[in-house]
Amino acid sequence: GDSVTQMEGPVTLSEEAFLTINCTYTATGYPSLFWYVQYPGEGLQLLLKATKADDKGSNKGFEATYRKETTSFHLEKGSVQVSDSAVYFCALSPGTYKYIFGTGTRLKVLA
Amino acid sequence: NAGVTQTPKFRVLKTGQSMTLLCAQDMNHEYMYWYRQDPGMGLRLIHYSVGEGTTAKGEVPDGYNVSRLKKQNFLLGLESAAPSQTSVYFCASSYLVIGTDTQYFGPGTRLTVL
């Protein structure tokens, strides 16, 4: 079945460091891919998405490219801030009601 | 425009008690979802609805019931709570279901069953 695998956290970085959070997926067909972010005490909110191969989603300095050949959708940011501390979820939707979420990666950014 | 709201924010139940979680959205979305979030397991879909008066089972429906009597509301019921239902519950809604649309989440309800 469809699935999403994320790197385990927590990830701890210093402010202005480069961030990569790995996400790979298994799906039949051509799913849409998403990154959601969850700040402490809040619900998830969409960070970025890509709906077809080679698309790049971007928002707030974060980027992720839909790589069909490697079935990956890694999240990157060139310079993280303390305010980026949160839990990040990779998700896919195969084109139905279903959204399949990864287990989440906690990011902690130190000043 | 409040988005997606959930009531209550916190609740403690004893085993065997019942309760209803309320989700409301003011975005005129057709689709609504209930998830539970457990440590190390991400979000798992409990039930969902594709429109007023419709409901369907998700990945982990046992022990829960739902109703969608009004388009803007989606209720999740626990008839006889069990400690295994201790979790954080999130409601979400979306406009389209074809897999490209954003899901909008509520702030969550933290439920503890003793």
Side-chain angles (χ1 to χ4, degrees):
Chain A
D2 299 338
S3 66
V4 173
T5 303
Q6 287 183 239
M7 63 186 290
E8 288 191 18
V11 174
T12 303
L13 297 173
S14 298
E15 208 165 23
E16 299 184 3
F18 184 86
L19 168 71
T20 300
I21 299 178
N22 290 338
C23 171
T24 57
Y25 68 91
T26 302
T28 55
Y30 302 92
S32 295
L33 301 174
F34 306 80
W35 277 102
Y36 281 82
V37 59
Q38 183 181 29
Y39 298 103
E42 298 183 10
L44 281 70
Q45 53 186 279
L46 180 70
L47 181 59
L48 54 85
K49 67 180 182 183
T51 58
K52 59 183 187 295
D54 300 325
D55 267 2
K56 177 185 284 188
S58 62
N59 186 25
K60 300 180 181 180
F62 291 90
E63 293 183 340
T65 301
Y66 189 146
R67 303 284 189 198
K68 189 162 178 62
E69 64 276 12
T70 55
T71 61
S72 65
F73 193 55
H74 304 322
L75 183 68
E76 296 182 336
K77 187 176 186 183
S79 177
V80 294
Q81 305 299 313
V82 172
S83 57
D84 294 326
S85 297
V87 181
Y88 293 82
F89 291 89
C90 185
L92 72 81
S93 182
T96 65
Y97 69 89
K98 292 174 64 176
Y99 287 77
I100 297 165
F101 290 84
T103 55
T105 302
R106 183 176 300 277
L107 170 66
K108 185 174 182 179
V109 181
L110 305 176
Chain B
N1 189 341
V4 180
T5 58
Q6 291 183 233
T7 308
K9 289 185 171 21
F10 303 94
R11 187 70 187 270
V12 178
L13 291 178
K14 294 182 179 178
T15 297
Q17 288 185 318
S18 63
M19 77 163 295
T20 300
L21 283 66
L22 171 63
C23 175
Q25 54 95 3
D26 60 3
M27 296 174 282
N28 202 34
H29 285 169
E30 290 292 334
Y31 303 103
M32 298 188 74
Y33 310 81
W34 275 106
Y35 293 92
R36 58 178 289 173
Q37 183 182 31
D38 301 295
M41 301 190 73
L43 274 75
R44 293 182 292 169
L45 182 65
I46 305 171
H47 286 281
Y48 65 101
S49 169
V50 299
E52 182 178 317
T54 74
T55 63
K57 295 180 179 180
E59 182 185 355
V60 288
D62 294 342
Y64 305 95
N65 56 76
V66 288
S67 65
R68 183 101 180 266
L69 298 179
K70 293 182 179 181
K71 186 177 183 179
Q72 63 268 34
N73 296 337
F74 195 30
L75 278 63
L76 178 71
L78 286 73
E79 290 186 349
S80 180
S84 60
Q85 294 178 304
T86 293
S87 187
V88 181
Y89 292 86
F90 287 101
C91 177
S93 70
S94 66
Y95 181 58
L96 297 172
V97 80
I98 57 175
T100 63
D101 201 49
T102 302
Q103 289 206 336
Y104 293 83
F105 284 82
T109 295
R110 185 174 294 277
L111 174 66
T112 301
V113 182
L114 303 176

Short mmCIF file of all heavy atoms in Angstrom, two decimals, chain B residues 47-108:
data_model
loop_
_atom_site.label_atom_id
_atom_site.label_comp_id
_atom_site.label_asym_id
_atom_site.label_seq_id
_atom_site.Cartn_x
_atom_site.Cartn_y
_atom_site.Cartn_z
N HIS B 47 -12.44 8.59 10.56
CA HIS B 47 -13.62 8.64 9.69
C HIS B 47 -13.52 9.89 8.84
O HIS B 47 -12.79 10.83 9.18
CB HIS B 47 -14.91 8.70 10.50
CG HIS B 47 -15.33 7.43 11.16
ND1 HIS B 47 -15.97 6.41 10.49
CD2 HIS B 47 -15.22 7.03 12.45
CE1 HIS B 47 -16.24 5.42 11.34
NE2 HIS B 47 -15.79 5.78 12.53
N TYR B 48 -14.28 9.90 7.76
CA TYR B 48 -14.32 11.09 6.94
C TYR B 48 -15.72 11.25 6.35
O TYR B 48 -16.56 10.34 6.44
CB TYR B 48 -13.27 11.04 5.83
CG TYR B 48 -13.49 9.95 4.81
CD1 TYR B 48 -14.04 10.25 3.56
CD2 TYR B 48 -13.12 8.64 5.06
CE1 TYR B 48 -14.23 9.25 2.61
CE2 TYR B 48 -13.32 7.64 4.14
CZ TYR B 48 -13.87 7.95 2.90
OH TYR B 48 -14.07 6.96 1.97
N SER B 49 -15.94 12.40 5.75
CA SER B 49 -17.25 12.70 5.15
C SER B 49 -17.03 13.47 3.86
O SER B 49 -16.23 14.42 3.83
CB SER B 49 -18.09 13.53 6.11
OG SER B 49 -19.23 14.05 5.46
N VAL B 50 -17.75 13.07 2.82
CA VAL B 50 -17.61 13.75 1.54
C VAL B 50 -18.76 14.72 1.29
O VAL B 50 -18.87 15.28 0.19
CB VAL B 50 -17.48 12.75 0.37
CG1 VAL B 50 -16.24 11.88 0.57
CG2 VAL B 50 -18.72 11.90 0.23
N GLY B 51 -19.60 14.91 2.28
CA GLY B 51 -20.69 15.88 2.14
C GLY B 51 -21.71 15.70 3.24
O GLY B 51 -21.70 14.70 3.97
N GLU B 52 -22.59 16.68 3.34
CA GLU B 52 -23.63 16.63 4.36
C GLU B 52 -24.41 15.32 4.28
O GLU B 52 -24.80 14.90 3.19
CB GLU B 52 -24.57 17.82 4.16
CG GLU B 52 -25.67 17.93 5.17
CD GLU B 52 -26.53 19.18 4.92
OE1 GLU B 52 -25.96 20.25 4.64
OE2 GLU B 52 -27.76 19.06 4.98
N GLY B 53 -24.59 14.68 5.44
CA GLY B 53 -25.35 13.45 5.49
C GLY B 53 -24.59 12.19 5.13
O GLY B 53 -25.15 11.09 5.14
N THR B 54 -23.30 12.32 4.80
CA THR B 54 -22.49 11.15 4.43
C THR B 54 -21.35 10.98 5.41
O THR B 54 -20.78 11.95 5.91
CB THR B 54 -21.89 11.29 3.02
OG1 THR B 54 -20.82 12.23 3.05
CG2 THR B 54 -22.94 11.72 2.02
N THR B 55 -21.00 9.71 5.67
CA THR B 55 -19.81 9.40 6.46
C THR B 55 -19.21 8.11 5.93
O THR B 55 -19.91 7.31 5.29
CB THR B 55 -20.12 9.24 7.96
OG1 THR B 55 -20.99 8.13 8.14
CG2 THR B 55 -20.74 10.49 8.55
N ALA B 56 -17.93 7.90 6.20
CA ALA B 56 -17.26 6.67 5.76
C ALA B 56 -16.12 6.37 6.71
O ALA B 56 -15.59 7.27 7.38
CB ALA B 56 -16.75 6.81 4.34
N LYS B 57 -15.74 5.09 6.77
CA LYS B 57 -14.68 4.67 7.66
C LYS B 57 -13.31 4.95 7.07
O LYS B 57 -13.09 4.80 5.87
CB LYS B 57 -14.80 3.16 7.95
CG LYS B 57 -16.06 2.80 8.72
CD LYS B 57 -16.12 1.30 8.96
CE LYS B 57 -17.37 0.93 9.74
NZ LYS B 57 -17.47 -0.53 9.99
N GLY B 58 -12.40 5.32 7.94
CA GLY B 58 -11.01 5.48 7.54
C GLY B 58 -10.18 4.30 7.96
O GLY B 58 -10.63 3.16 7.94
N GLU B 59 -8.98 4.59 8.40
CA GLU B 59 -8.01 3.54 8.72
C GLU B 59 -8.27 2.89 10.08
O GLU B 59 -8.06 1.68 10.25
CB GLU B 59 -6.60 4.16 8.71
CG GLU B 59 -5.46 3.23 8.98
CD GLU B 59 -4.13 3.99 9.06
OE1 GLU B 59 -4.12 5.22 8.80
OE2 GLU B 59 -3.12 3.36 9.40
N VAL B 60 -8.71 3.67 11.06
CA VAL B 60 -8.87 3.16 12.43
C VAL B 60 -10.24 3.56 13.00
O VAL B 60 -10.33 4.31 13.96
CB VAL B 60 -7.73 3.66 13.35
CG1 VAL B 60 -6.42 2.96 13.03
CG2 VAL B 60 -7.57 5.17 13.26
N PRO B 61 -11.33 3.03 12.46
CA PRO B 61 -12.67 3.49 12.86
C PRO B 61 -13.26 2.84 14.11
O PRO B 61 -14.24 3.35 14.67
CB PRO B 61 -13.51 3.10 11.65
CG PRO B 61 -12.84 1.85 11.14
CD PRO B 61 -11.36 2.08 11.38
N ASP B 62 -12.67 1.71 14.55
CA ASP B 62 -13.30 0.96 15.64
C ASP B 62 -13.35 1.76 16.94
O ASP B 62 -12.35 2.34 17.36
CB ASP B 62 -12.54 -0.36 15.86
CG ASP B 62 -12.67 -1.30 14.69
OD1 ASP B 62 -13.59 -1.09 13.87
OD2 ASP B 62 -11.86 -2.23 14.57
N GLY B 63 -14.54 1.76 17.56
CA GLY B 63 -14.73 2.46 18.82
C GLY B 63 -15.20 3.89 18.66
O GLY B 63 -15.42 4.59 19.66
N TYR B 64 -15.37 4.33 17.41
CA TYR B 64 -15.80 5.70 17.13
C TYR B 64 -17.02 5.70 16.22
O TYR B 64 -17.17 4.83 15.37
CB TYR B 64 -14.69 6.48 16.43
CG TYR B 64 -13.37 6.51 17.14
CD1 TYR B 64 -12.37 5.58 16.81
CD2 TYR B 64 -13.09 7.46 18.11
CE1 TYR B 64 -11.14 5.60 17.46
CE2 TYR B 64 -11.86 7.48 18.76
CZ TYR B 64 -10.90 6.55 18.42
OH TYR B 64 -9.69 6.57 19.06
N ASN B 65 -17.85 6.73 16.39
CA ASN B 65 -18.92 6.96 15.42
C ASN B 65 -18.91 8.44 15.06
O ASN B 65 -18.38 9.27 15.80
CB ASN B 65 -20.28 6.54 15.98
CG ASN B 65 -20.59 7.24 17.29
OD1 ASN B 65 -20.95 8.42 17.31
ND2 ASN B 65 -20.47 6.53 18.39
N VAL B 66 -19.47 8.76 13.91
CA VAL B 66 -19.47 10.14 13.43
C VAL B 66 -20.82 10.49 12.84
O VAL B 66 -21.61 9.62 12.47
CB VAL B 66 -18.38 10.38 12.35
CG1 VAL B 66 -16.98 10.38 12.96
CG2 VAL B 66 -18.51 9.37 11.23
N SER B 67 -21.07 11.79 12.77
CA SER B 67 -22.26 12.27 12.09
C SER B 67 -21.98 13.61 11.44
O SER B 67 -21.20 14.42 11.96
CB SER B 67 -23.44 12.38 13.06
OG SER B 67 -23.19 13.35 14.04
N ARG B 68 -22.64 13.83 10.30
CA ARG B 68 -22.48 15.09 9.54
C ARG B 68 -23.89 15.55 9.15
O ARG B 68 -24.30 15.46 8.00
CB ARG B 68 -21.64 14.83 8.29
CG ARG B 68 -21.37 16.10 7.49
CD ARG B 68 -20.00 16.64 7.73
NE ARG B 68 -19.74 17.85 6.97
CZ ARG B 68 -19.15 17.87 5.77
NH1 ARG B 68 -18.78 16.74 5.18
NH2 ARG B 68 -18.94 19.01 5.17
N LEU B 69 -24.61 16.04 10.12
CA LEU B 69 -25.99 16.47 9.88
C LEU B 69 -26.03 17.82 9.18
O LEU B 69 -26.97 18.11 8.44
CB LEU B 69 -26.76 16.51 11.20
CG LEU B 69 -26.89 15.17 11.93
CD1 LEU B 69 -27.65 15.33 13.23
CD2 LEU B 69 -27.55 14.13 11.03
N LYS B 70 -25.03 18.64 9.43
CA LYS B 70 -24.93 19.93 8.77
C LYS B 70 -23.59 20.01 8.06
O LYS B 70 -22.60 19.46 8.55
CB LYS B 70 -25.04 21.07 9.77
CG LYS B 70 -26.39 21.21 10.44
CD LYS B 70 -26.39 22.43 11.38
CE LYS B 70 -27.74 22.60 12.03
NZ LYS B 70 -27.77 23.79 12.93
N LYS B 71 -23.54 20.68 6.97
CA LYS B 71 -22.32 20.75 6.18
C LYS B 71 -21.14 21.29 6.98
O LYS B 71 -20.00 20.85 6.80
CB LYS B 71 -22.55 21.64 4.95
CG LYS B 71 -21.40 21.68 3.98
CD LYS B 71 -21.75 22.53 2.77
CE LYS B 71 -20.62 22.52 1.75
NZ LYS B 71 -20.98 23.33 0.54
N GLN B 72 -21.39 22.23 7.87
CA GLN B 72 -20.30 22.87 8.56
C GLN B 72 -19.82 22.12 9.80
O GLN B 72 -18.80 22.48 10.36
CB GLN B 72 -20.69 24.30 8.96
CG GLN B 72 -21.85 24.41 9.93
CD GLN B 72 -23.20 24.55 9.24
OE1 GLN B 72 -23.41 24.00 8.16
NE2 GLN B 72 -24.10 25.29 9.86
N ASN B 73 -20.55 21.09 10.21
CA ASN B 73 -20.20 20.39 11.45
C ASN B 73 -19.93 18.91 11.21
O ASN B 73 -20.61 18.25 10.43
CB ASN B 73 -21.34 20.50 12.47
CG ASN B 73 -21.59 21.92 12.92
OD1 ASN B 73 -20.70 22.77 12.84
ND2 ASN B 73 -22.78 22.20 13.40
N PHE B 74 -18.95 18.39 11.95
CA PHE B 74 -18.60 16.97 11.87
C PHE B 74 -18.33 16.51 13.29
O PHE B 74 -17.40 16.99 13.93
CB PHE B 74 -17.38 16.80 10.98
CG PHE B 74 -17.13 15.38 10.53
CD1 PHE B 74 -18.16 14.47 10.35
CD2 PHE B 74 -15.83 14.95 10.22
CE1 PHE B 74 -17.93 13.18 9.90
CE2 PHE B 74 -15.58 13.67 9.77
CZ PHE B 74 -16.63 12.79 9.61
N LEU B 75 -19.16 15.61 13.80
CA LEU B 75 -19.08 15.17 15.19
C LEU B 75 -18.42 13.81 15.28
O LEU B 75 -18.71 12.91 14.48
CB LEU B 75 -20.47 15.10 15.81
CG LEU B 75 -21.10 16.40 16.33
CD1 LEU B 75 -21.32 17.40 15.21
CD2 LEU B 75 -22.40 16.11 17.05
N LEU B 76 -17.56 13.65 16.26
CA LEU B 76 -16.91 12.36 16.54
C LEU B 76 -17.34 11.90 17.91
O LEU B 76 -17.16 12.62 18.90
CB LEU B 76 -15.39 12.51 16.51
CG LEU B 76 -14.59 11.25 16.83
CD1 LEU B 76 -14.71 10.23 15.70
CD2 LEU B 76 -13.11 11.59 17.07
N GLY B 77 -17.92 10.70 17.99
CA GLY B 77 -18.41 10.18 19.25
C GLY B 77 -17.63 8.97 19.71
O GLY B 77 -17.20 8.14 18.91
N LEU B 78 -17.44 8.92 21.02
CA LEU B 78 -16.89 7.74 21.66
C LEU B 78 -17.98 7.21 22.59
O LEU B 78 -18.36 7.89 23.54
CB LEU B 78 -15.64 8.07 22.50
CG LEU B 78 -14.34 8.37 21.77
CD1 LEU B 78 -14.37 9.74 21.10
CD2 LEU B 78 -13.18 8.29 22.76
N GLU B 79 -18.50 6.05 22.31
CA GLU B 79 -19.63 5.52 23.09
C GLU B 79 -19.18 4.96 24.44
O GLU B 79 -19.87 5.11 25.44
CB GLU B 79 -20.35 4.45 22.29
CG GLU B 79 -21.12 5.00 21.10
CD GLU B 79 -21.96 3.95 20.41
OE1 GLU B 79 -21.77 2.76 20.73
OE2 GLU B 79 -22.79 4.32 19.56
N SER B 80 -18.04 4.30 24.45
CA SER B 80 -17.52 3.69 25.67
C SER B 80 -15.99 3.81 25.63
O SER B 80 -15.31 2.95 25.07
CB SER B 80 -17.95 2.23 25.76
OG SER B 80 -17.44 1.64 26.95
N ALA B 81 -15.50 4.89 26.21
CA ALA B 81 -14.08 5.21 26.07
C ALA B 81 -13.18 4.15 26.68
O ALA B 81 -13.50 3.56 27.74
CB ALA B 81 -13.79 6.57 26.70
N ALA B 82 -12.03 3.93 26.03
CA ALA B 82 -11.03 3.00 26.50
C ALA B 82 -9.68 3.71 26.59
O ALA B 82 -9.45 4.68 25.84
CB ALA B 82 -10.93 1.81 25.55
N PRO B 83 -8.78 3.26 27.46
CA PRO B 83 -7.47 3.91 27.58
C PRO B 83 -6.72 3.99 26.24
O PRO B 83 -5.95 4.93 26.02
CB PRO B 83 -6.74 3.03 28.59
CG PRO B 83 -7.83 2.49 29.46
CD PRO B 83 -8.99 2.24 28.52
N SER B 84 -6.96 3.02 25.34
CA SER B 84 -6.30 3.04 24.03
C SER B 84 -6.74 4.22 23.17
O SER B 84 -6.12 4.51 22.13
CB SER B 84 -6.58 1.74 23.28
OG SER B 84 -7.98 1.59 23.08
N GLN B 85 -7.80 4.89 23.58
CA GLN B 85 -8.28 6.05 22.83
C GLN B 85 -7.69 7.37 23.35
O GLN B 85 -8.03 8.44 22.86
CB GLN B 85 -9.81 6.10 22.85
CG GLN B 85 -10.44 4.94 22.11
CD GLN B 85 -11.94 4.92 22.15
OE1 GLN B 85 -12.55 4.92 23.23
NE2 GLN B 85 -12.57 4.89 20.98
N THR B 86 -6.80 7.26 24.30
CA THR B 86 -6.03 8.44 24.74
C THR B 86 -5.18 8.89 23.56
O THR B 86 -4.37 8.13 23.02
CB THR B 86 -5.14 8.09 25.93
OG1 THR B 86 -5.96 7.79 27.06
CG2 THR B 86 -4.20 9.24 26.26
N SER B 87 -5.38 10.14 23.15
CA SER B 87 -4.72 10.62 21.94
C SER B 87 -5.03 12.10 21.77
O SER B 87 -5.76 12.70 22.55
CB SER B 87 -5.23 9.83 20.73
OG SER B 87 -4.51 10.16 19.56
N VAL B 88 -4.44 12.66 20.75
CA VAL B 88 -4.82 14.01 20.31
C VAL B 88 -5.62 13.85 19.03
O VAL B 88 -5.17 13.19 18.09
CB VAL B 88 -3.60 14.92 20.07
CG1 VAL B 88 -4.05 16.30 19.63
CG2 VAL B 88 -2.74 15.00 21.32
N TYR B 89 -6.79 14.44 19.00
CA TYR B 89 -7.71 14.30 17.87
C TYR B 89 -7.75 15.59 17.06
O TYR B 89 -7.92 16.68 17.61
CB TYR B 89 -9.11 13.95 18.37
CG TYR B 89 -9.17 12.57 18.97
CD1 TYR B 89 -8.85 12.36 20.30
CD2 TYR B 89 -9.50 11.48 18.18
CE1 TYR B 89 -8.86 11.09 20.86
CE2 TYR B 89 -9.53 10.19 18.72
CZ TYR B 89 -9.20 10.01 20.06
OH TYR B 89 -9.21 8.76 20.59
N PHE B 90 -7.56 15.44 15.76
CA PHE B 90 -7.60 16.59 14.87
C PHE B 90 -8.71 16.42 13.85
O PHE B 90 -8.89 15.36 13.27
CB PHE B 90 -6.27 16.74 14.11
CG PHE B 90 -5.15 17.24 14.96
CD1 PHE B 90 -4.20 16.37 15.47
CD2 PHE B 90 -5.04 18.59 15.27
CE1 PHE B 90 -3.16 16.82 16.27
CE2 PHE B 90 -4.00 19.06 16.06
CZ PHE B 90 -3.07 18.17 16.56
N CYS B 91 -9.42 17.49 13.64
CA CYS B 91 -10.39 17.58 12.57
C CYS B 91 -9.76 18.37 11.42
O CYS B 91 -8.95 19.28 11.66
CB CYS B 91 -11.63 18.29 13.08
SG CYS B 91 -12.91 18.56 11.84
N ALA B 92 -10.13 18.03 10.21
CA ALA B 92 -9.64 18.76 9.05
C ALA B 92 -10.75 18.86 8.03
O ALA B 92 -11.70 18.09 8.03
CB ALA B 92 -8.42 18.07 8.45
N SER B 93 -10.63 19.83 7.15
CA SER B 93 -11.59 19.97 6.06
C SER B 93 -10.85 20.36 4.79
O SER B 93 -9.74 20.91 4.84
CB SER B 93 -12.65 21.02 6.40
OG SER B 93 -12.11 22.33 6.41
N SER B 94 -11.48 20.06 3.67
CA SER B 94 -10.91 20.47 2.39
C SER B 94 -12.02 20.69 1.39
O SER B 94 -13.14 20.18 1.55
CB SER B 94 -9.91 19.44 1.87
OG SER B 94 -10.55 18.23 1.55
N TYR B 95 -11.71 21.46 0.35
CA TYR B 95 -12.74 21.79 -0.64
C TYR B 95 -12.88 20.69 -1.68
O TYR B 95 -13.95 20.26 -2.01
CB TYR B 95 -12.39 23.12 -1.30
CG TYR B 95 -13.40 23.57 -2.33
CD1 TYR B 95 -14.74 23.75 -1.98
CD2 TYR B 95 -13.02 23.80 -3.64
CE1 TYR B 95 -15.67 24.15 -2.91
CE2 TYR B 95 -13.95 24.21 -4.57
CZ TYR B 95 -15.27 24.38 -4.21
OH TYR B 95 -16.19 24.77 -5.14
N LEU B 96 -11.75 20.24 -2.21
CA LEU B 96 -11.76 19.19 -3.22
C LEU B 96 -11.18 17.92 -2.64
O LEU B 96 -10.42 17.95 -1.69
CB LEU B 96 -10.93 19.63 -4.43
CG LEU B 96 -11.42 20.85 -5.18
CD1 LEU B 96 -10.40 21.26 -6.22
CD2 LEU B 96 -12.76 20.58 -5.82
N VAL B 97 -11.46 16.80 -3.23
CA VAL B 97 -10.97 15.54 -2.69
C VAL B 97 -10.05 14.84 -3.66
O VAL B 97 -9.63 13.72 -3.45
CB VAL B 97 -12.15 14.61 -2.34
CG1 VAL B 97 -12.70 13.93 -3.59
CG2 VAL B 97 -11.75 13.57 -1.30
N ILE B 98 -9.69 15.51 -4.74
CA ILE B 98 -8.94 14.82 -5.77
C ILE B 98 -7.47 14.69 -5.44
O ILE B 98 -6.68 14.24 -6.22
CB ILE B 98 -9.09 15.54 -7.13
CG1 ILE B 98 -8.64 16.99 -7.03
CG2 ILE B 98 -10.50 15.42 -7.63
CD1 ILE B 98 -8.63 17.73 -8.34
N GLY B 99 -7.11 15.08 -4.26
CA GLY B 99 -5.76 14.80 -3.80
C GLY B 99 -4.79 15.94 -3.96
O GLY B 99 -3.64 15.83 -3.55
N THR B 100 -5.24 17.04 -4.53
CA THR B 100 -4.31 18.16 -4.67
C THR B 100 -4.66 19.32 -3.76
O THR B 100 -3.91 20.27 -3.68
CB THR B 100 -4.34 18.68 -6.13
OG1 THR B 100 -5.65 19.16 -6.42
CG2 THR B 100 -3.99 17.57 -7.10
N ASP B 101 -5.78 19.20 -3.08
CA ASP B 101 -6.23 20.34 -2.30
C ASP B 101 -5.68 20.30 -0.89
O ASP B 101 -5.43 19.24 -0.33
CB ASP B 101 -7.76 20.39 -2.27
CG ASP B 101 -8.27 21.77 -1.93
OD1 ASP B 101 -7.80 22.73 -2.56
OD2 ASP B 101 -9.10 21.88 -1.03
N THR B 102 -5.53 21.45 -0.32
CA THR B 102 -5.00 21.58 1.02
C THR B 102 -6.02 21.12 2.04
O THR B 102 -7.21 21.40 1.91
CB THR B 102 -4.66 23.05 1.30
OG1 THR B 102 -3.72 23.48 0.34
CG2 THR B 102 -4.09 23.23 2.69
N GLN B 103 -5.56 20.44 3.07
CA GLN B 103 -6.40 20.15 4.22
C GLN B 103 -6.15 21.22 5.27
O GLN B 103 -5.01 21.56 5.56
CB GLN B 103 -6.08 18.77 4.78
CG GLN B 103 -6.54 17.65 3.89
CD GLN B 103 -6.81 16.36 4.65
OE1 GLN B 103 -6.30 16.13 5.73
NE2 GLN B 103 -7.64 15.51 4.09
N TYR B 104 -7.24 21.74 5.84
CA TYR B 104 -7.15 22.74 6.88
C TYR B 104 -7.50 22.07 8.21
O TYR B 104 -8.55 21.45 8.32
CB TYR B 104 -8.12 23.90 6.60
CG TYR B 104 -7.75 24.69 5.39
CD1 TYR B 104 -8.13 24.27 4.12
CD2 TYR B 104 -7.00 25.86 5.50
CE1 TYR B 104 -7.77 24.99 2.99
CE2 TYR B 104 -6.65 26.59 4.37
CZ TYR B 104 -7.04 26.16 3.13
OH TYR B 104 -6.68 26.86 2.01
N PHE B 105 -6.59 22.22 9.16
CA PHE B 105 -6.73 21.51 10.42
C PHE B 105 -7.20 22.42 11.55
O PHE B 105 -6.85 23.61 11.61
CB PHE B 105 -5.38 20.91 10.84
CG PHE B 105 -5.01 19.68 10.05
CD1 PHE B 105 -4.45 19.78 8.81
CD2 PHE B 105 -5.25 18.42 10.58
CE1 PHE B 105 -4.12 18.65 8.07
CE2 PHE B 105 -4.93 17.27 9.86
CZ PHE B 105 -4.36 17.40 8.61
N GLY B 106 -7.96 21.82 12.46
CA GLY B 106 -8.29 22.49 13.71
C GLY B 106 -7.13 22.40 14.68
O GLY B 106 -6.13 21.73 14.41
N PRO B 107 -7.26 23.03 15.85
CA PRO B 107 -6.17 23.07 16.83
C PRO B 107 -6.00 21.80 17.63
O PRO B 107 -5.02 21.65 18.35
CB PRO B 107 -6.55 24.24 17.73
CG PRO B 107 -8.03 24.29 17.66
CD PRO B 107 -8.39 23.88 16.26
N GLY B 108 -6.96 20.88 17.54
CA GLY B 108 -6.83 19.61 18.22
C GLY B 108 -7.57 19.54 19.55
O GLY B 108 -7.83 20.56 20.19
#
